[in-house]
């Protein structure tokens, strides 16, 4: 079995390699191709990948290449984890929206739109080349904004499933609090990528006992602290929102905070420099502890599980993924991409039935879906007015003066990545 990782020079990659090595019985890889145009960092990451495999007695071959077509040739699955523009573009996404009094974040709001505009054309080009090299290959998208990117891939007819680590992070956290194994925890996870709520936490499967009330009663303070939301908010909602909901539920507070400290992009860039220096140490043969602070917790387990199921192996029968709505949420178009529990296998991902969604959440889901429709049109076809409409539709923008100012800033900061600009 061959897997290719596009963006293989990412500092995330050793997390993925560690999972491939530990879970080789679930996903028996014979060849792993790390693909990245950044040759210097790719060799650092590739060297560490080979040492991790060797230490854990994995006999799979790790190859590195800057040639996309060669890297994906013969691959059974291709995992996308690229960042167009690198951390420098992320730094801009997180700062210029603050000039208009709007949240600066790399996956939501104006910054998230900028990332989508840069990313969608590049991902679609990669996917077409994957299809030419091997039309049966699955594409697993971990590239943000996952919902918009996955929708672009599916609309273009690619065999694609989107993946995020938010759900598996909650699953592992709740399992630890409950003193059970993660496989016993089934989440009623509903919404869009980076806009989700855990409405129930069931033990043993989709029909198991809901222990969310017990979790909130016994561990509500710790959960609220992790989310950086007040405990009374969780008690009044009776659900656990993803930490991305803080950008919506406490927008002005977050904007004030972001204006008083270095951006997350600056923190990550410094961390990446340190990680790459570590990766160059020939004595290092395991992922360093610092990598846990980089983000992407449990990313490798989620990726292995999904790839194993798609390729007919031993993955979990139910997984939280990004895929077509297909009537699952009746208030959304069928071709909207939602993030939900799905039955996953060689056929792809089929969402499980979802209980009716409270208007409190359904309204925001529908609003952000409308924004994602407009964002995808702007990413595919360009044009200032399409960008303006997408921003005006976003609930974190919503005023024409803000949308105008943000549109000008977005284009100014991203001209080199926008062919139409």
């Amino acid at each position: 079995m061959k897997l290719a990782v596009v963006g293989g020079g990412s500092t995330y990659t050793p997390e993925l390699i560690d999972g491939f090595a530990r879970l080789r019985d679930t996903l028996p890889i014979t060849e792993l191709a790390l693909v990245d145009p950044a040759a210097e960092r790719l060799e650092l990451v590739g060297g560490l990948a080979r040492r991790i495999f060797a230490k854990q007695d994995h006999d799979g071959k790790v190859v590195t290449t800057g040639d996309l077509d060669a890297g994906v040739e013969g691959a059974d699955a291709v995992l996308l984890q690229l960042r167009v523009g690198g951390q420098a573009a992320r730094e801009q996404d997180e700062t210029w929206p603050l000039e208009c009094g709007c949240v600066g974040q790399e996956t939501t709001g104006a910054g998230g739109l900028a990332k989508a505009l840069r990313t969608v054309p590049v991902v679609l080009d990669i996917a077409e080349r994957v299809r030419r090299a091997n039309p049966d290959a699955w594409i697993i998208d971990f590239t943000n904004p996952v919902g918009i990117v996955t929708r672009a891939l599916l609309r273009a007819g690619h065999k694609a499933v989107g993946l995020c680590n938010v759900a598996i992070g909650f699953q592992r956290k709740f399992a630890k609090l409950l003193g059970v194994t993660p496989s016993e925890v089934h989440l009623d996870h509903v919404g869009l990528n980076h806009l989700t709520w855990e409405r129930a936490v069931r033990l043993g499967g989709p029909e198991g006992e809901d222990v969310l009330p017990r979790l909130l009663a016994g561990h509500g303070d710790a959960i609220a602290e992790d989310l950086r939301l007040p405990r009374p908010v969780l008690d009044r909602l009776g659900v656990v929102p993803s930490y991305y909901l803080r950008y919506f539920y406490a927008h002005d507070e977050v904007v004030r905070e972001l204006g008083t400290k270095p951006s997350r992009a600056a923190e990550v860039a410094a961390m990446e420099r340190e990680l790459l220096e570590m990766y160059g140490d020939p004595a290092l043969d395991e992922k360093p502890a610092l990598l846990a602070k980089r983000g992407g917790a449990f990313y490798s387990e989620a990726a292995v599980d999904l790839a194993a199921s798609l390729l007919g192996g031993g993955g979990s029968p139910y997984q939280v993924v990004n895929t077509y709505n297909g009537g699952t949420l009746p208030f959304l178009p069928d071709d909207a991409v939602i993030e939900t529990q799905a039955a996953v296998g060689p056929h792809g991902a089929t969402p499980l039935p979802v209980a009716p969604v409270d208007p409190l959440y359904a309204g925001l889901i529908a609003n952000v879906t409308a924004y994602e429709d407009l964002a995808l049109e702007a990413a595919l076809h360009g044009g200032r007015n399409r960008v303006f409409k997408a921003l005006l539709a976003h609930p974190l923008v919503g005023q024409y003066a803000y949308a105008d100012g943000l549109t000008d800033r977005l284009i100014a900061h991203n001209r080199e990545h926008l062919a139409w600009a």
Side-chain angles (χ1 to χ4, degrees), residues 311-344:
L311 299 176
S316 304
Y318 305 122
Q319 298 172 43
V320 173
V321 297
N322 286 260
T323 191
Y324 270 149
N325 176 44
T328 307
L329 300 181
F331 54 90
L332 296 184
D334 286 351
D335 66 347
V337 165
I338 62 173
E339 186 170 289
T340 189
Q341 285 278 5
V344 183

Side-chain angles (χ1 to χ4, degrees), residues 17 42-43 45-55 62-64:
I17 301 300
L42 179 61
E43 285 310 307
V45 173
L48 176 56
R50 295 183 187 99
R51 296 193 297 273
I52 291 174
F53 267 26
K55 181 179 182 180
V62 177
V63 299
T64 57

Side-chain angles (χ1 to χ4, degrees), residues 146-167:
V146 168
I148 295 172
V149 173
T150 301
R151 188 169 185 184
L153 288 165
L154 291 173
R155 273 184 53 171
H158 297 290
K159 292 177 61 176
V161 180
L163 181 64
C164 181
N165 69 324
V166 167

Side-chain angles (χ1 to χ4, degrees), residues 80-337:
L80 306 181
Q81 58 170 31
L82 56 148
R83 181 184 294 279
V84 179
Q87 293 297 334
R90 176 179 179 173
E91 168 81 17
Q92 294 177 355
D93 293 344
E94 293 179 348
T95 52
W96 54 262
L98 297 174
E99 299 170 6
C100 295
C102 295
V103 70
Q105 210 278 329
E106 66 158 339
T107 63
T108 192
L113 177 60
K115 185 171 176 61
L117 297 182
R118 293 192 305 268
T119 304
V120 166
V122 174
V123 166
L124 289 178
D125 177 66
I126 292 169
E128 284 299 328
R129 293 164 71 176
V130 170
R131 180 153 54 188
R132 288 198 299 268
N134 185 1
D136 293 326
W138 278 102
I139 295 176
I140 297 172
D141 179 59
F142 196 71
T143 296
N144 281 319
V146 168
I148 295 172
V149 173
T150 301
R151 188 169 185 184
L153 288 165
L154 291 173
R155 273 184 53 171
H158 297 290
K159 292 177 61 176
V161 180
L163 181 64
C164 181
N165 69 324
V166 167
I168 193 172
F170 275 130
Q171 183 198 43
R172 300 303 174 89
K173 186 187 303 290
F174 295 157
K176 184 175 181 180
L177 292 174
L178 293 165
V180 301
T181 62
S183 62
E184 295 177 76
V185 175
H186 183 93
L187 302 176
D188 179 1
H189 179 102
V190 65
L192 311 176
N193 180 241
H194 290 184
L195 193 86
T196 52
W197 297 262
E198 312 305 331
R199 300 186 301 171
V201 178
R202 302 190 181 278
L203 293 182
E207 305 303 322
E209 175 194 3
D210 178 15
V211 296
L212 180 56
R214 187 201 311 172
L215 271 171
L216 289 175
H219 305 282
D221 288 343
I223 295 170
E225 184 178 357
D226 282 347
L227 299 174
R228 301 187 65 201
L229 288 171
R231 166 70 186 271
V233 172
L234 301 191
D235 292 336
R236 293 167 71 182
L237 295 178
V239 303
V240 177
S242 86
Y243 43 85
Y244 288 94
L245 264 299
R246 186 168 183 261
Y247 297 117
F248 294 81
Y249 291 165
H251 175 272
D252 293 353
E253 178 183 340
V254 172
V255 169
R256 287 192 295 271
E257 285 178 6
L258 293 175
T260 62
K261 63 180 184 179
S263 69
R264 173 62 177 164
E267 295 175 0
V268 169
M271 203 178 304
E272 286 198 332
R273 289 191 291 270
E274 188 174 351
L275 284 169
L276 289 170
E277 186 174 345
M278 291 179 177
Y279 295 171
D281 180 356
L284 183 67
D285 57 6
E286 61 185 13
K287 64 177 183 179
L290 178 62
L291 187 55
K293 298 181 180 180
R294 171 67 179 81
F298 310 116
Y299 157 46
S300 60
E301 284 89 342
V304 167
D305 207 17
L306 179 54
S309 293
L310 293 173
L311 299 176
S316 304
Y318 305 122
Q319 298 172 43
V320 173
V321 297
N322 286 260
T323 191
Y324 270 149
N325 176 44
T328 307
L329 300 181
F331 54 90
L332 296 184
D334 286 351
D335 66 347
V337 165

Side-chain angles (χ1 to χ4, degrees), residues 4-16:
V5 179
V6 179
S10 168
T11 54
Y12 270 136
T13 300
E15 166 71 27
L16 188 63

